[in-house]
């Protein structure tokens, strides 16, 4: 009986440690991506962004999303892909106002997504 309780508590502690490590990892990945989006936002706001700037953020996202597929559902990742592709297309044609609108949404997504997978009471129940 005592062994069962110890094994159960050990499993619970290991799961919590795993969940916290995953949360920290996902937060870090989105923090880096959000910083890149902020930089791109400033360049688009100044109308100095070019397609290479957009594609640099896109390349960064491609690297991050290959690792995030394990922790974040594919629909959420494709949502980021969609808005990032829209932004890059608008930057490419020089529509900076439209790109700013898309970047606003992308910034909000990058800020909100990690919290959706955090170990919180509202995410558990």
């Amino acid at each position: 009986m005592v062994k069962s309780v110890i094994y159960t508590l050990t499993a619970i502690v290991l799961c919590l440690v795993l969940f916290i490590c995953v949360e920290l990892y996902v937060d870090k990945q989105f923090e880096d991506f959000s910083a890149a989006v902020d930089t791109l936002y400033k360049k688009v706001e100044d109308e100095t962004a070019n397609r290479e700037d957009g594609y640099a953020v896109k390349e960064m996202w491609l690297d991050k999303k290959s690792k995030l597929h394990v922790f974040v559902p594919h629909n959420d990742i494709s949502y980021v892909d969609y808005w990032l592709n829209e932004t890059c297309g608008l930057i490419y044609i020089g529509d900076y106002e439209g790109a700013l609108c898309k970047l606003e949404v992308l910034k909000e997504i990058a800020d909100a997504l990690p919290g959706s997978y955090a170990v919180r009471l509202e995410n558990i129940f």
Side-chain angles (χ1 to χ4, degrees), residues 1-10:
M1 178 70 176
V2 174
K3 282 186 178 181
S4 296
V5 171
I6 291 172
Y7 290 151
T8 302
L9 289 176
T10 303

Side-chain angles (χ1 to χ4, degrees), residues 75-93:
N75 289 341
D76 289 340
I77 289 177
S78 65
Y79 198 56
V80 174
D81 286 338
Y82 170 79
W83 287 102
L84 188 56
N85 286 328
E86 287 272 331
T87 301
C88 288
L90 291 170
I91 291 170
Y92 182 75
I93 63 171

Side-chain angles (χ1 to χ4, degrees), residues 60-78:
M60 176 192 200
W61 173 246
L62 289 174
D63 178 53
K64 293 202 177 295
K65 86 173 187 176
S66 68
K67 298 170 189 113
L68 286 172
H69 270 294
V70 176
F71 309 111
V72 178
H74 300 300
N75 289 341
D76 289 340
I77 289 177
S78 65

